[in-house]
């Protein structure tokens, strides 16, 4: 690799690591859709939109008298049994029964051949 590519990759790596070090994940647009009376304050008086978002909060100054910088809704997740047989991660052992598999909290589908029949559930966001 030439020196320019190494420098560019280094800069990208430093930026990515500094973002991870802050530990704040920006909320999605959906998480910030709250009716004004449900907003929980996440900032201080006079906080800017940039500072609010940097703290991992939502910002909306359209309604006076209520918090403009507020905590996002928590993400809802659920565990599902994937229909994609190629993404299955083995949760059992050869010959495991469906009952033993389900007692482990896993999914059991005895088809197709060549893939795990007892496999972990996948976490999906709603």
């Amino acid at each position: 690799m030439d020196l320019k590519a190494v420098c560019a990759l280094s800069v990208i790596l430093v930026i990515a690591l500094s973002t991870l070090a802050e530990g704040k994940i920006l909320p999605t647009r959906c998480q910030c859709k709250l009716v004004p009376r449900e907003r929980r304050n996440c900032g201080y008086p006079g906080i800017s939109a940039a500072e609010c978002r940097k703290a991992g909060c939502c910002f909306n100054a359209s309604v006076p008298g209520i918090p403009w910088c507020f905590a996002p809704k928590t993400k809802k997740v659920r565990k599902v049994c994937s229909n994609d047989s190629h993404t299955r991660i083995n949760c059992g052992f050869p010959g495991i029964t469906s009952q033993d598999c389900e007692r482990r909290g896993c999914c059991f589908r005895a088809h197709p051949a060549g893939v795990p029949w007892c496999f972990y559930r996948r976490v999906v966001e709603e």
Side-chain angles (χ1 to χ4, degrees):
M1 236 189 272
D2 68 337
L3 186 58
K4 287 181 182 179
V6 171
C7 289
L9 288 174
S10 298
V11 168
I12 292 170
L13 180 62
V14 168
I15 292 170
L17 290 175
S18 66
T19 303
L20 288 174
E22 287 182 25
K24 300 295 180 187
I25 298 172
L26 296 178
T28 63
R29 194 177 290 176
C30 222
Q31 286 179 279
C32 292
K33 287 188 179 180
L34 285 165
V35 293
R37 61 182 157 77
E38 292 179 355
R39 293 181 183 179
R40 288 179 300 121
N41 197 5
C42 192
Y44 52 86
I47 191 170
S48 70
E51 290 173 312
C52 179
R53 290 187 185 104
K54 188 176 179 181
C57 302
C58 303
F59 189 88
N60 182 334
S62 66
V63 183
I66 53 128
W68 291 358
C69 182
F70 54 96
K73 286 191 267 187
T74 56
K75 288 184 180 180
K76 293 182 181 179
V77 295
R78 60 188 172 104
K79 292 184 176 184
V80 297
C81 295
S82 175
N83 289 327
D84 185 1
S85 61
H86 300 293
T87 62
R88 294 180 182 177
I89 299 173
N90 196 3
C91 182
F93 50 86
I96 192 170
T97 66
S98 62
Q99 292 84 9
D100 287 338
C101 178
E102 289 166 2
R103 269 189 225 114
R104 291 175 171 229
C106 297
C107 305
F108 187 87
R109 293 210 178 109
H111 55 78
V115 297
W117 290 0
C118 179
F119 53 97
Y120 289 102
R121 296 175 184 272
R122 294 188 58 191
V123 175
V124 293
E125 292 182 8
E126 295 183 330

